[in-house]
Amino acid sequence: MDSVTAQRVGETFEAMLLAPILRPMVAGLSMLGDYELDLLAGEIARHDGRGFAQLIARRLERVP
């Protein structure tokens, strides 16, 4: 798997884990729906330079 694809997979997986954590934090605000919450989780994962996404990407790059 190339590094760009591995990075994107890692970010997507991290965003899927972040969304349920963020949901209760923004529930009372009534300004974010599911779509916006998923986008927010994706942006957090994308800008998290040393986070979970990086761990996943590094492991995927090593898989033949």
Side-chain angles (χ1 to χ4, degrees):
M1 180 175 296
D2 65 32
S3 62
V4 173
T5 304
Q7 181 64 34
R8 186 70 180 127
V9 169
E11 291 168 359
T12 302
F13 193 71
E14 183 176 351
M16 287 175 21
L17 294 175
L18 281 173
I21 295 168
L22 294 173
R23 188 163 281 115
M25 293 179 183
V26 298
L29 299 177
S30 71
M31 56 190 265
L32 292 177
D34 285 339
Y35 178 73
E36 291 86 4
L37 185 65
D38 290 341
L39 287 176
L40 176 62
E43 284 300 307
I44 291 171
R46 214 171 343 277
H47 289 90
D48 185 12
R50 293 184 292 162
F52 193 62
Q54 291 293 334
L55 280 169
I56 295 170
R58 276 185 262 153
R59 296 294 271 169
L60 289 173
E61 288 172 2
R62 288 189 239 165
V63 175

